[in-house]
Amino acid sequence: MFLSDVKINKETKCIAETEYENPIGTTHTTNESAIKYLHEKLKKDNEQIDKIFLFATNKVKGLITTDENIAEKAQIVGKTHLAYFKERISALINVEKDVVVVDFEEDIENSVQNIFDMAQKIQEYATNSQHEIKMHADMTGGLRNSSMMMLGVMKLAEYSGLESGVVLYSNFSRKKVEEATAVYNLFNLVSGAEEFARFGSVAAIEKYYENRENIDINLKSLLAAMKKFSEQIKLCRSGEFIESIENLRQNIKEFEENITVNNHKEFTQLLAPIKDNYKQLLQENLDKLDIISWCVERGYLQQAMTLYVEIVPSVFFERKIIAVNTACDKYKAFIKEYKDKSVGREEEFCLFNMIFDEYDKKADRDIKEKKEEIKSLISTSLENIKENKYIDSDNSKTIFAENEEIKEKLDRLWHLSKNPKELLGKGTNVKDEFIVKTVNLLRVYEERNKVKNSFDEMKYGKEKIDKIINFLINHFSTEELLDVFSYKSYAMLMKLDYSLEDNFLEIKTENISLVKKSLKNYQRIKDDRNNINHANRKNLSSVEELGKFIKDSIKQIKNI
């Protein structure tokens, strides 16, 4: 609470008295009425006020009056506003032990710190208490901005896990204490609507409505649909997720069509921002790929990856990007197995994975051979750089067509061999990530093997670039070298070729290169998803890179 000052009746020159409705009775201070009201309310449930936390300004810590005649007549000689308030409530609480005072500075800058001080004291008490604590508030007294200050304290306390109780306001003109809890809870409803609009969380909205009676059937259905959608964001099962979106769209429509004065019309004002944030998803002809984009835009990258892996296969078939030969024996065997097992996943997803799983062994063998081939080509290119006869750019581009990063790294080494001055001085003086990574590996190797004439001791750039190249040629296994050069083996592309050769699959678009690029993207996203799920840090992208990559991949599929 925010403690108000004690008022003197101008006519009687005594403390001003106010007669409130029973059971409050006569009060001498503004806040006294709320304390008495709360005491009686809690008593009905065998509860009590355990602690009072109040803000006190310099004024209420000072004397009620400096006029000795008035002070003597009112019997308040030497009494402060704070001391008099304590005296008035002393029958209800141990005022020496259970009234906690927090000083309040009357300028905005310091008052923010006062809010934190109050919230901290409340939190400390709640943490050390052996009982369940509920926080009630009196919004009556204090300065003009006291309501803002109190809201700040209450929100901070709630954030720390405290449950809020009743919010009180002493209505002087009506001579009664009123409960303003519904008004305060409206803030929670607005926060909850924003939380759902931005992140799909329905917890705060549920809490607002959990104890309310006579909820309209249309609102009940809408809240249930919102909860179902919120659950599907966490569970991330593509089929049920899509159903929950359609269910949400339908219930919003029905709620808006049946608005009446009595069916919680306050919620209609909150729907506009929700609909705006969900407009991608609430279209009648929903594009499945937009669900993934929506998750990316809200930072739900793991959900976006899971949905991408589950949804994109059906998109490939639905958009007729690829098609399966339904007359072939492999397809017939798949259909039989799919129906027998009733796996609970979309047919297209299972078919897509079965097609590519069919060629696992063959792809593993070919990938191993391909890796050795790529390693040999890298080693040859490194030797050519060293001997100043690096292979022609067009040739190199053809050889590393599926792995452009390798070509870029080799070109960077070729550039440094032609411009060795960039490597002068201690270290590299080069910010290129590949060069920095390679030099760091070299330093570790030199330190471990106590190599003389180390990289950092070399004076000339030509010596340094030769040392880097020799290190890459002589001290890396196939897997290590390919990792340094960011080589990625795209098994899906090999499997696609096998399935086309076997007349199991066919590409229905002329833009085969875009289809292959989309499959490469699919494999990368699937690999990243699996690495995260299995706590494997290998080849993981940053949050920003991954989000952009997923959105670019979606755009690419839409353009096929």
Side-chain angles (χ1 to χ4, degrees):
M1 68 165 54
F2 215 115
L3 188 63
S4 289
D5 59 321
V6 178
K7 300 292 191 293
I8 301 294
N9 187 307
K10 292 180 181 179
E11 294 179 1
T12 64
K13 306 301 181 184
C14 294
I15 299 292
E17 297 181 356
T18 305
E19 197 70 28
Y20 275 80
E21 288 183 356
N22 284 328
I24 298 171
T26 305
T27 64
H28 289 196
T29 67
T30 304
N31 304 99
E32 180 188 342
S33 55
I35 295 294
K36 288 182 175 180
Y37 177 91
L38 183 60
H39 171 77
E40 293 299 323
K41 182 179 179 68
L42 295 178
K43 189 165 69 172
K44 292 174 184 176
D45 296 322
N46 294 317
E47 295 178 349
Q48 63 181 23
I49 300 172
D50 293 318
K51 213 84 169 175
I52 294 176
F53 294 84
L54 61 83
F55 282 122
T57 60
N58 287 332
K59 180 178 181 178
V60 299
K61 288 185 289 184
L63 294 175
I64 298 173
T65 179
T66 54
D67 187 316
E68 292 182 5
N69 293 327
I70 293 176
E72 284 182 14
K73 185 176 182 181
Q75 298 180 343
I76 52 172
V77 175
K79 288 184 181 178
T80 64
H81 299 267
L82 175 59
Y84 190 73
F85 168 74
K86 287 182 177 181
E87 184 181 300
R88 291 293 302 173
I89 63 167
S90 59
L92 308 179
I93 192 170
N94 184 333
V95 293
E96 298 306 318
K97 186 179 72 169
D98 293 325
V99 175
V100 178
V101 178
V102 175
D103 293 338
F104 188 83
E105 303 295 331
E106 297 183 30
D107 60 280
I108 291 293
E109 188 175 334
N110 286 322
S111 65
V112 172
Q113 185 56 52
N114 298 150
I115 291 171
F116 281 104
D117 291 342
M118 173 69 86
Q120 183 178 354
K121 287 185 182 294
I122 294 171
Q123 182 58 38
E124 285 172 356
Y125 169 69
T127 302
N128 295 323
S129 175
Q130 302 298 314
H131 307 288
E132 187 177 332
I133 300 298
K134 187 177 285 188
M135 176 182 61
H136 308 282
D138 171 23
M139 304 292 281
T140 310
L143 306 171
R144 289 184 180 182
N145 63 348
S146 61
S147 293
M148 289 173 57
M149 306 300 111
M150 293 292 292
L151 283 172
V153 172
M154 293 164 74
K155 287 296 179 185
L156 277 171
E158 282 184 3
Y159 179 73
S160 299
L162 262 72
E163 182 183 354
S164 59
V166 294
V167 178
L168 304 174
Y169 177 77
S170 295
N171 190 326
F172 178 78
S173 60
R174 297 179 65 183
K175 304 298 185 287
K176 64 182 293 188
V177 175
E178 298 173 337
E179 293 192 20
T181 313
V183 177
Y184 174 72
N185 286 342
L186 190 60
F187 287 98
N188 293 334
L189 178 61
V190 173
S191 298
E194 182 183 12
E195 195 176 87
F196 183 79
R198 295 179 63 190
F199 307 113
S201 172
V202 78
I205 294 176
E206 275 192 306
K207 185 172 177 61
Y208 177 82
Y209 283 107
E210 65 183 356
N211 295 318
R212 289 170 71 94
E213 298 177 357
N214 303 318
I215 298 179
D216 181 89
I217 185 66
N218 292 294
L219 180 58
K220 269 186 181 178
S221 297
L222 177 54
L223 294 175
M226 292 169 73
K227 182 176 182 179
K228 186 71 175 174
F229 175 81
S230 181
E231 288 170 351
Q232 288 309 315
I233 291 176
K234 297 169 188 171
L235 296 173
C236 211
R237 296 185 289 233
S238 59
E240 292 178 31
F241 200 168
I242 292 168
E243 284 178 17
S244 74
I245 292 169
E246 171 56 28
N247 187 37
L248 179 63
R249 186 186 69 78
Q250 189 61 35
N251 276 280
I252 288 175
K253 183 181 177 184
E254 288 176 7
F255 177 77
E256 290 183 319
E257 287 174 350
N258 293 281
I259 293 172
T260 66
V261 175
N262 297 321
N263 81 332
H264 306 284
K265 202 170 180 180
E266 78 279 357
F267 199 76
T268 61
Q269 286 191 278
L270 304 176
L271 269 181
I274 290 174
K275 287 170 65 179
D276 185 57
N277 275 273
Y278 283 62
K279 60 187 173 187
Q280 267 183 303
L281 305 183
L282 297 177
Q283 303 171 70
E284 288 203 27
N285 299 313
L286 175 64
D287 186 332
K288 291 179 181 178
L289 295 174
D290 287 340
I291 302 172
I292 305 167
S293 299
W294 184 88
C295 288
V296 172
E297 286 162 9
R298 277 145 191 79
Y300 293 141
L301 287 188
Q302 193 154 3
Q303 285 89 336
M305 284 188 287
T306 298
L307 290 171
Y308 191 98
V309 169
E310 292 195 5
I311 286 174
V312 165
S314 65
V315 170
F316 273 120
F317 286 111
E318 288 167 5
R319 295 184 182 226
K320 302 192 184 322
I321 295 169
I322 60 174
V324 69
N325 179 3
T326 56
C328 73
D329 291 337
K330 287 180 180 177
Y331 178 75
K332 291 174 182 176
F334 160 76
I335 287 296
K336 185 178 184 307
E337 184 179 359
Y338 178 79
K339 289 179 178 176
D340 289 346
K341 288 187 176 179
S342 299
V343 291
R345 283 183 178 270
E346 286 189 1
E347 181 180 322
E348 292 89 347
F349 175 81
C350 296
L351 177 59
F352 186 83
N353 283 281
M354 186 276 286
I355 290 168
F356 291 104
D357 291 348
E358 180 78 13
Y359 299 102
D360 275 348
K361 288 182 181 177
K362 187 177 181 182
D364 287 346
R365 184 187 66 240
D366 288 354
I367 285 171
K368 189 174 181 181
E369 291 176 4
K370 184 76 171 176
K371 284 182 176 179
E372 292 300 331
E373 178 189 351
I374 294 292
K375 188 210 173 184
S376 176
L377 289 169
I378 292 173
S379 298
T380 300
S381 297
L382 290 170
E383 291 285 359
N384 287 336
I385 291 171
K386 186 178 169 185
E387 295 171 16
N388 202 28
K389 53 179 184 180
Y390 182 46
I391 53 177
D392 153 292
S393 180
D394 291 336
N395 225 359
S396 174
K397 196 170 283 187
T398 303
I399 291 170
F400 300 113
E402 291 179 7
N403 291 274
E404 293 175 5
E405 285 190 55
I406 296 177
K407 171 72 172 57
E408 290 172 4
K409 289 174 170 57
L410 289 169
D411 286 349
R412 187 68 186 133
L413 289 167
W414 174 244
H415 169 81
L416 287 174
S417 73
K418 291 296 182 184
N419 301 275
K421 287 184 180 179
E422 291 184 24
L423 290 171
L424 287 176
K426 188 172 182 180
T428 62
N429 296 322
V430 175
K431 293 182 180 179
D432 183 274
E433 188 179 337
F434 163 64
I435 300 299
V436 171
K437 179 181 177 181
T438 305
V439 169
N440 286 338
L441 289 170
L442 174 57
R443 286 179 178 134
V444 171
Y445 169 81
E446 289 180 334
E447 187 176 344
R448 189 180 296 148
N449 293 279
K450 297 183 170 50
V451 174
K452 294 181 179 178
N453 191 26
S454 68
F455 178 85
D456 289 323
E457 292 171 347
M458 291 178 168
K459 292 182 180 179
Y460 303 107
K462 185 69 174 74
E463 285 182 302
K464 289 188 172 185
I465 189 62
D466 285 347
K467 183 135 194 165
I468 291 171
I469 292 171
N470 285 329
F471 177 60
L472 289 168
I473 293 171
N474 300 315
H475 297 286
F476 285 85
S477 67
T478 299
E479 292 294 335
E480 289 169 339
L481 185 66
L482 295 181
D483 183 57
V484 169
F485 276 88
S486 305
Y487 171 75
K488 295 186 188 301
S489 58
Y490 291 99
M492 291 197 79
L493 298 185
M494 290 183 173
K495 294 173 183 180
L496 175 67
D497 290 337
Y498 304 151
S499 66
L500 293 172
E501 289 167 11
D502 287 351
N503 197 29
F504 187 12
L505 203 64
E506 57 180 316
I507 295 176
K508 302 296 264 184
T509 174
E510 294 180 0
N511 202 339
I512 294 175
S513 63
L514 260 185
V515 175
K516 289 191 171 185
K517 194 165 185 181
S518 292
L519 283 171
K520 284 170 66 175
N521 293 349
Y522 181 86
Q523 182 177 324
R524 175 181 162 181
I525 291 167
K526 187 176 182 180
D527 288 345
D528 264 9
R529 193 279 304 261
N530 291 340
N531 285 333
I532 289 171
N533 287 348
H534 296 98
N536 180 359
R537 292 192 55 81
K538 188 176 180 182
N539 294 328
L540 290 183
S541 310
S542 69
V543 169
E544 293 79 12
E545 288 172 341
L546 185 55
K548 183 178 184 305
F549 186 78
I550 294 172
K551 291 181 82 171
D552 289 346
S553 300
I554 289 170
K555 186 177 179 181
Q556 191 178 91
I557 293 172
K558 288 185 174 185
N559 288 335
I560 294 177

